[in-house]
Amino acid sequence: MERLRRYSPWFYAAAAYNAVWGVVVGLWPNALFDLLHMPRPQPAALFQCVGMMVGVYAYGYWLVARDPERFGAFAYIGLAGKILGPLGFLFAAINGELPWSFGWINVTNDLIWLPAFIGFAIQFYRLDRKTKS
């Protein structure tokens, strides 16, 4: 159990980050595109939906941080997003649909969190497997 709790600060930080990111994107959906000198998405509500989804993850991460034994499986959902998001970006950038500069979103939203999410997922899987055998 203690092995899982050592990841709680990471999940509290991820919860705070996602909550802030979700609110900012929800309120100012064009700000990132203006900063990167990209065309604004039309309608802006499309990117606001992305902000809403990122914001919803905040609650899941907070639950994992608060009670990792009970809610640890939620981390698998976050881990999937942190792997699939950068892969989707790479596909879009290689095909010229997004500029490479847009990848900074993946660095801050996904890649910096990967070591903690992977470490937690491995520990949670081992603990879950051990309790079921």
Side-chain angles (χ1 to χ4, degrees):
M1 288 11 132
E2 191 57 40
R3 288 183 176 168
L4 294 179
R5 291 217 176 267
R6 72 179 178 180
Y7 291 98
S8 288
W10 279 99
F11 283 97
Y12 279 125
Y17 175 85
N18 279 44
V20 169
W21 202 90
V23 168
V24 168
V25 169
L27 294 175
W28 300 284
N30 296 317
L32 180 64
F33 295 91
D34 293 345
L35 181 70
L36 296 173
H37 306 290
M38 291 177 59
R40 292 176 168 185
Q42 295 299 321
L46 290 175
F47 202 58
Q48 286 174 309
C49 284
V50 172
M52 180 269 308
M53 291 186 312
V54 169
V56 167
Y57 276 73
Y59 182 61
Y61 297 157
W62 181 79
L63 289 173
V64 173
R66 193 169 140 249
D67 191 345
E69 293 84 21
R70 182 174 177 195
F71 297 106
F74 289 173
Y76 293 143
I77 298 166
L79 180 58
K82 297 196 177 313
I83 292 170
L84 295 174
L87 290 175
F89 163 73
L90 283 174
F91 181 79
I94 288 168
N95 288 310
E97 296 170 14
L98 286 174
W100 287 99
S101 61
F102 199 76
W104 283 107
I105 290 176
N106 292 119
V107 171
T108 58
N109 283 13
D110 304 312
L111 299 177
I112 63 170
W113 306 99
L114 267 178
F117 275 66
I118 291 170
F120 180 89
I122 291 168
Q123 292 296 323
F124 184 78
Y125 174 78
R126 288 178 180 161
L127 179 65
D128 191 49
R129 202 171 94 202
K130 190 182 211 181
T131 59
K132 290 181 180 176
S133 56

